[in-house]
Amino acid sequence: QVQLVESGGGLVQAGGSLRLSCAASGRTFSSYGMGWFRQAPGKEREFVAAISWIGGNTYYADSVKGRFIISRDNAKNTVYLQMNSLKPEDTAVYYCAAMNAHPQWRVVRDIPSEYEYWGQGTQVTVSS
């Protein structure tokens, strides 16, 4: 069982930056692939970024590539999402999620239903 708690959301002007954190409970954090997803009002939850359990493999949605950076610190049981050059369309509730080490990680890393554990979400609002 893994519990995830996100923090770092808030209100920021367009062009600004925020860093989200996701703290995980449990002693096997390093065996989980981690993902960030977001959901805007009236829209489906969408993939943002993912990082493999050791951290050597990262993957981004095209909409955030070059602006967002996902990283993890397994010693601190924490995954981060550094968000730069924020745009109003980045406004959403951001969720982190954990997936047990998966043999097809590169295939499933952007699929919400493949993640077993989810945080409660943190609101990010970007004003124009």
Side-chain angles (χ1 to χ4, degrees):
Q1 188 76 14
V2 176
Q3 291 186 323
L4 305 172
V5 179
E6 302 98 334
S7 61
L11 174 64
V12 63
Q13 288 188 331
S17 299
L18 281 175
R19 188 175 84 153
L20 305 184
S21 299
C22 174
S25 65
R27 294 177 289 178
T28 59
F29 177 71
S30 60
S31 66
Y32 290 90
M34 300 298 296
W36 284 98
F37 293 79
R38 66 187 181 187
Q39 189 166 17
K43 295 187 177 181
E44 292 188 355
R45 190 168 299 189
E46 66 171 356
F47 170 76
V48 175
I51 188 166
S52 60
W53 35 98
I54 298 176
N57 172 255
T58 57
Y59 180 60
Y60 299 91
D62 288 342
S63 58
V64 306
K65 200 173 295 182
R67 300 187 297 124
F68 291 11
I69 300 171
I70 188 171
S71 62
R72 67 188 296 162
D73 185 337
N74 287 343
K76 295 183 179 180
N77 281 13
T78 302
V79 63
Y80 305 97
L81 185 68
Q82 177 66 44
M83 305 186 295
N84 302 318
S85 301
L86 283 161
K87 305 175 181 180
E89 51 263 44
D90 294 318
T91 295
V93 177
Y94 282 72
Y95 300 89
C96 73
M99 179 196 306
N100 273 298
H102 196 296
Q104 298 296 322
W105 165 253
R106 289 179 181 268
V107 175
V108 303
R109 57 194 172 185
D110 59 350
I111 303 174
S113 60
E114 293 290 335
Y115 287 80
E116 289 94 346
Y117 305 102
W118 291 82
Q120 82 289 349
T122 185
Q123 176 71 47
V124 172
T125 303
V126 184
S127 63
S128 57

